Amino acid sequence: MNRFNVRKVAVLGAGVMGAQIAAQLVNCKVPVVLFDLPAKDGPRNGIVTRAIDNLKKLKPSPLGIAADAALIQAANYEEHLDLLQGCDLVIEAIAERMDWKLDLYTKIAPALNPAAIVASNTSGLSITKLSQALPEAIRPRFCGIHFFNPPRYMSLVELIPTPATQPEILDQLETFVTTGVGKSVVRAKDTPNFVANRVGIAGMLATIAEAEKFGLGYDVVDDLTGKKMGRASSGTFRTADVVGLDTMAHVIKTLQDNLKDDPFYPSYATPPVLARLIEQGALGQKTGAGYFKKVGKDILRLDPHKGDYVPAGAKADPIVDRILKKPAAERLKLLRESANPQAQFVWAILRDSFHYVAVHLAEIADSARDIDFAMRWGFGMKQGPFELWQEAGWAQVAQWVKDDIDAGKALSTAPLPAWVFDGPVAEGGGVHRPEGSWSASARRFVPRSTLPVYARQAFPDAVLGSDAASPLKAGTEEYRNDEIRVWSLDGEVLVASITAKLHLISPAVTEGLLKAVEIAEAKYQGLVIWSPDEVFSAGANLEALLPVFMKLGAKGIAPEEKKLQDAMLRIRYAQVPVVAAMRGIALGGGCELAVHCARRVAHLESYIGLVEVGVGLLPGGGGLAYIARRAAEMAAAGNANADLLKFLTDGFTSAAMAKVATSAIEARQSGWLLWDDLIVPHKDELLQVASAQVKAMAASGWRPPHKSVFPVAGRNAKATIMGQLVNLRDGGFASAHDFHIASLIADVVCGGDVDAGSMVTEDYLMTLERKHFCSLLDHPKTQERIMGMLQTGKPVRN
């Protein structure tokens, strides 16, 4: 397959989705030009420039750093269509109006690059109908592309071909969207609302109907249908508010207009409360009110009977909470048999989802795997409906669903398809098997895609029942203890995977990392520190050191701190390259571990920083020594006579204020990632890219840096920082204890009570770190913060 080289992307439409798609492309370093109509007043690109400016204000931010908004090129349809010639991919993302889209296609068609792929970002309109406005020559290169909102954070992208779409075009686009933009692809059929929205919106409508049937408030429903069920924490009604009630109504209307023969058609009716809210202009979060409303710090919920908002916050009954923690088979049985209305409600919405996906599988998806992945990637579910059904016992759940259909309890009288009870699915106990997932249309189990791009994913997301290799059991194991596994997948690169909760760094983890370095130096090209979930490391395990502290006090902790610092230096000066493959949070000790590696490969969604002040401590694993050393290196690179304080300021501020970089891009600016470190868009490619880095570094004759001395800023720089800290304290912006911790941080990063330019070593600075770290352990305010964090998981402000 020829490489699809994307030099530039055009996004047509600077609305909410178009602008945020452009932002994600910029995050991934893809040049992008954003089009919209010419403004009637003021600058002709005014509509686009206002949309770009708005990107910098949105929370959560669609941009890795706000300044990158400037990288989006603004254009309008009247003056700049010639720019389309330089675009290899054109994504149309204007409003969901068939007539508007068709009119735009007619306008842009003559200006398109003949080799460009053209795709419509629509949540449910017919891709085949849209293609009919394009010239015959463009139709083979046209398809649907459906990003989920917000595009930076939601991993799902649906690709939808028309009958005329060339298969290789879809392959090229899937490859680019996966590696280039970091998204997870499901290929959908050209049916109304495709896969995720078809199942998800039908599920939300079912939830609304069942909630009304059982008389449950919106806050209780959201508590039940959020994390307790392994779904997005926003639940059902809060999700609707975030998406926008008008947007939800539009997707519902697509079902109503195009699925009149659907056996579930009566359940697609617009809920009366939703219709009333829209009529009143209460469209959810964007208008300040919907099913919920925020007044000051209080969250109110709509009481549909009173027609007014009342205090929210009601939770699920404890008995239902306990049931939802049971294993799948027991959980569903207890829910179905319980007399509790909340339990009956949960069973009802699960039954409705099983019923719906079984009846519609052949029509909307190539396999059951596509439906489960679509719901996981697009709706934040930990488990798709088919996976839960299979885990709970295929035959038993099928019988329960059938019984409810026969008893008139279900949303539709449509029977479950015959394949549910007879044939390969029933005989194998479910739709997912090692050889593939069930395709109701093809009447067989179909394997996963074998596109070359997926060879870059050693451990891609897998569905229950597929018997996919477990990353914590795969490969050749070299060493293991209770909190770390050291292993190799290919016999060339060693991998260290921290398995402790939140990958906290304890003495056992430190021991394992040292063992990993020793093994790598003896037998491998290098070492990758990687774990297969959304945490690199949340920091040091304070609880593990508590017995030592209780027995010996701070003096007992000092040797353990010394071991941690020595381990960091052992990693830094290892005789083979050590690469940190980072994803999710890398805080405190996790950040310190990463910065002492020879290189870092980070997923875009990496959140990195030194946060020890939250527990009343300062970084004690070499983080402050790193800040001082990097300041010296940056000063030397720019000007040998440069003022070190200028280079220290950002690092000091980050540590003293516990600032966390909110993306890998921001972490690069903060100094936690260097400019030769790599940022990887797709989480499942981290291990492959990190391993390739190790091999390239080894092949190029990599050697560790020399241990050397470097200058520090000294007592005068510390005095300058202290003056600023006094202003913060006296102005009420910092507590006395925060002031005390920050002054100790300043002492370390400036090198202590020495002259400016004094030459020091990392060991010297780490000794200062250790001294101040242990002094803080004896401070009552720090002890309050540590105990508060251990007991509640939340920082104490004192």
Side-chain angles (χ1 to χ4, degrees):
M1 183 175 67
N2 292 331
R3 181 170 180 266
F4 176 44
N5 185 23
V6 181
R7 296 165 297 167
K8 182 177 283 189
V9 176
V11 177
L12 311 182
V16 173
M17 282 302 291
Q20 292 198 53
I21 291 169
Q24 177 61 10
L25 290 165
V26 164
N27 289 338
C28 298
K29 298 295 177 264
V30 179
V32 60
V33 53
L34 181 61
F35 281 84
D36 212 301
L37 295 167
K40 294 179 180 178
D41 301 307
R44 300 284 277 167
N45 287 337
I47 293 173
V48 176
T49 54
R50 283 192 294 273
I52 293 172
D53 287 340
N54 191 52
L55 289 171
K56 295 182 278 189
K57 304 171 188 175
L58 292 177
K59 299 294 179 185
S61 176
L63 292 158
I65 53 171
D68 277 356
L71 299 177
I72 301 173
Q73 183 179 357
N76 67 75
Y77 302 126
E78 285 192 6
E79 298 176 304
H80 305 119
L81 287 183
D82 59 306
L83 293 176
L84 293 175
Q85 276 295 315
C87 296
D88 302 294
L89 172 61
V90 178
I91 299 174
E92 171 271 304
I94 68 171
E96 294 282 272
R97 283 273 301 268
M98 179 74 74
D99 55 339
W100 291 1
K101 289 178 185 282
L102 296 178
D103 180 65
L104 179 60
Y105 293 171
T106 302
K107 181 182 293 184
I108 66 167
L112 291 171
N113 178 336
I117 294 176
V118 182
S120 173
N121 182 73
T122 172
S123 60
L125 296 179
S126 169
I127 302 302
T128 302
K129 285 184 181 177
L130 288 172
S131 72
Q132 291 168 0
L134 291 167
E136 291 281 351
I138 297 175
R139 292 181 192 178
R141 306 184 66 80
F142 177 79
C143 65
I145 183 170
H146 181 207
F147 285 83
F148 274 66
N149 191 22
R152 172 181 165 184
Y153 301 98
M154 299 303 294
S155 61
L156 178 63
V157 167
E158 293 174 318
L159 296 183
I160 310 99
T162 74
T165 306
Q166 292 177 351
E168 59 266 31
I169 294 302
L170 230 57
D171 291 349
Q172 290 173 346
L173 189 54
E174 181 167 349
T175 298
F176 169 69
V177 167
T178 301
T179 287
V181 193
K183 298 301 162 190
S184 299
V185 172
V186 164
R187 294 200 185 184
K189 297 184 178 182
D190 191 10
T191 55
N193 293 341
F194 312 128
V195 179
N197 272 347
R198 177 72 175 272
V199 175
I201 296 299
M204 291 179 77
L205 287 169
T207 299
I208 292 170
E210 300 289 3
E212 185 173 345
K213 175 181 173 183
F214 289 101
L216 303 182
Y218 303 139
D219 45 3
V220 172
V221 171
D222 278 3
D223 189 49
L224 286 167
T225 60
K227 288 186 176 180
K228 287 181 170 64
M229 288 181 66
R231 299 182 178 184
S233 58
S234 52
T236 300
F237 292 99
R238 177 63 183 150
T239 296
D241 276 352
V242 171
V243 169
L245 302 190
D246 53 340
T247 302
M248 184 176 173
H250 174 82
V251 179
I252 293 170
K253 190 172 188 306
T254 302
L255 297 176
Q256 295 167 350
D257 291 347
N258 297 283
L259 295 171
K260 298 188 186 300
D261 295 329
D262 189 311
F264 285 77
Y265 182 77
S267 70
Y268 300 152
T270 303
V273 175
L274 175 64
R276 283 202 301 274
L277 286 169
I278 293 172
E279 185 179 338
Q280 295 164 6
L283 307 180
Q285 183 173 276
K286 59 188 170 186
T287 60
Y291 287 107
F292 292 93
K293 179 180 181 180
K294 189 173 183 181
V295 178
K297 294 184 178 180
D298 298 324
I299 302 296
L300 308 180
R301 69 166 175 86
L302 180 69
D303 183 328
H305 303 294
K306 295 180 179 178
D308 200 0
Y309 290 89
V310 299
K315 301 291 184 183
D317 290 344
I319 188 171
V320 181
D321 205 353
R322 290 194 293 272
I323 290 174
L324 290 174
K325 295 175 182 176
K326 301 286 186 182
E330 184 181 359
R331 184 192 327 149
L332 265 59
K333 183 176 187 295
L334 290 171
L335 289 169
R336 187 170 188 269
E337 294 176 353
S338 174
N340 184 290
Q342 293 181 16
Q344 293 176 348
F345 160 77
V346 174
W347 161 252
I349 63 174
L350 290 174
R351 174 205 64 219
D352 295 341
S353 71
F354 300 150
H355 188 192
Y356 193 87
V357 295
V359 167
H360 292 95
L361 175 58
E363 174 194 354
I364 68 173
D366 288 331
S367 74
R369 176 178 52 249
D370 291 332
I371 286 181
D372 281 345
F373 276 157
M375 299 313 295
R376 282 164 51 176
W377 296 337
F379 277 78
M381 294 184 177
K382 288 186 177 179
Q383 205 175 31
F386 281 119
E387 290 179 289
L388 175 57
W389 183 349
Q390 184 165 328
E391 184 185 10
W394 185 266
Q396 178 61 80
V397 173
Q399 188 59 51
W400 285 338
V401 175
K402 180 180 183 302
D403 291 345
D404 278 12
I405 295 169
D406 293 344
K409 297 179 180 179
L411 292 176
S412 168
T413 58
L416 290 172
W419 57 260
V420 170
F421 297 100
D422 299 303
V425 170
E427 293 162 7
V431 292
H432 302 306
R433 296 174 61 170
E435 63 267 32
S437 294
W438 180 250
S439 171
S441 54
R443 304 289 300 172
R444 62 184 177 87
F445 291 93
V446 296
R448 292 189 70 151
S449 171
T450 57
L451 274 179
V453 67
Y454 294 117
R456 296 170 57 83
Q457 301 179 8
F459 302 101
D461 285 345
V463 287
L464 179 91
S466 63
D467 288 353
S470 167
L472 295 182
K473 294 180 181 178
T476 302
E477 190 170 288
E478 292 278 9
Y479 172 83
R480 186 185 198 109
N481 65 30
D482 290 342
E483 299 187 10
I484 195 168
R485 180 178 189 247
V486 180
W487 56 287
S488 178
L489 196 61
D490 61 4
E492 298 180 42
V493 176
L494 193 64
V495 181
S497 298
I498 303 173
T499 58
K501 182 180 179 182
L502 294 176
H503 305 170
L504 295 174
I505 300 172
S506 66
V509 170
T510 302
E511 176 189 348
L513 290 171
L514 289 171
K515 188 70 175 176
V517 172
E518 178 186 326
I519 295 168
E521 288 178 336
K523 300 171 59 177
Y524 291 88
Q525 294 184 40
L527 172 66
V528 171
I529 302 173
W530 170 85
S531 297
D533 56 27
E534 295 181 10
V535 179
F536 179 72
S537 172
N541 188 338
L542 297 176
E543 198 167 4
L545 296 175
L546 199 56
V548 176
F549 179 74
M550 297 299 290
K551 184 177 180 181
L552 300 172
K555 67 179 181 181
I557 299 299
E560 297 300 328
E561 269 307 286
K562 178 72 163 60
K563 289 178 185 176
L564 176 62
Q565 292 174 335
D566 289 347
M568 297 298 180
L569 293 179
R570 179 76 174 91
I571 288 167
R572 172 165 163 75
Y573 295 107
Q575 295 303 303
V576 291
V578 181
V579 174
M582 309 166 71
R583 172 185 168 205
I585 59 175
L587 304 177
C591 175
E592 291 173 311
L593 175 59
V595 299
H596 282 89
C597 291
R599 184 160 294 171
R600 286 138 296 278
V601 175
H603 180 230
L604 178 65
E605 299 306 325
S606 296
Y607 305 90
I608 307 169
L610 298 175
V611 296
E612 285 83 354
V613 296
V615 288
L617 294 169
L618 53 69
L624 300 183
Y626 167 81
I627 289 171
R629 174 172 59 79
R630 281 295 299 153
E633 290 169 351
M634 288 188 291
N639 181 348
N641 298 315
D643 179 6
L644 276 171
L645 180 59
K646 179 174 69 174
F647 296 94
L648 271 180
T649 302
D650 287 346
F652 165 78
T653 302
S654 293
M657 298 184 66
K659 289 178 64 177
V660 176
T662 56
S663 70
I665 302 169
E666 187 179 337
R668 180 178 272 162
Q669 284 200 327
S670 302
W672 307 130
L673 298 183
L674 306 184
W675 288 98
D676 59 351
D677 292 332
L678 300 182
I679 297 175
V680 177
H682 201 291
K683 63 182 177 62
D684 292 334
E685 295 186 358
L686 265 180
L687 181 57
Q688 190 269 350
V689 175
S691 297
Q693 285 293 298
V694 164
K695 293 175 184 178
M697 293 165 77
S700 64
W702 183 89
R703 297 289 297 172
H706 287 290
K707 291 187 178 182
S708 60
V709 295
F710 49 87
V712 288
R715 65 175 71 85
N716 289 342
K718 179 186 173 184
T720 301
I721 293 174
M722 292 301 297
Q724 296 168 346
L725 291 176
V726 167
N727 291 336
L728 289 173
R729 182 196 61 193
D730 293 350
F733 297 103
S735 70
H737 195 47
D738 286 329
F739 172 84
H740 176 57
I741 300 168
S743 68
L744 297 180
I745 292 173
D747 189 58
V748 178
V749 300
C750 292
D753 188 18
V754 297
D755 293 334
S758 294
M759 306 300 284
V760 303
T761 64
E762 288 167 300
D763 286 314
Y764 166 80
L765 291 172
M766 286 185 177
T767 300
L768 265 182
E769 266 188 7
R770 194 163 64 249
K771 170 188 168 186
H772 292 325
F773 183 92
C774 291
S775 74
L776 285 168
L777 281 173
D778 285 329
H779 199 294
K781 294 284 189 181
T782 287
Q783 292 172 9
E784 284 179 21
R785 291 191 184 189
I786 292 174
M787 294 309 297
M789 180 63 75
L790 292 176
Q791 290 169 2
T792 69
K794 297 178 180 179
V796 173
R797 293 298 172 206
N798 57 6

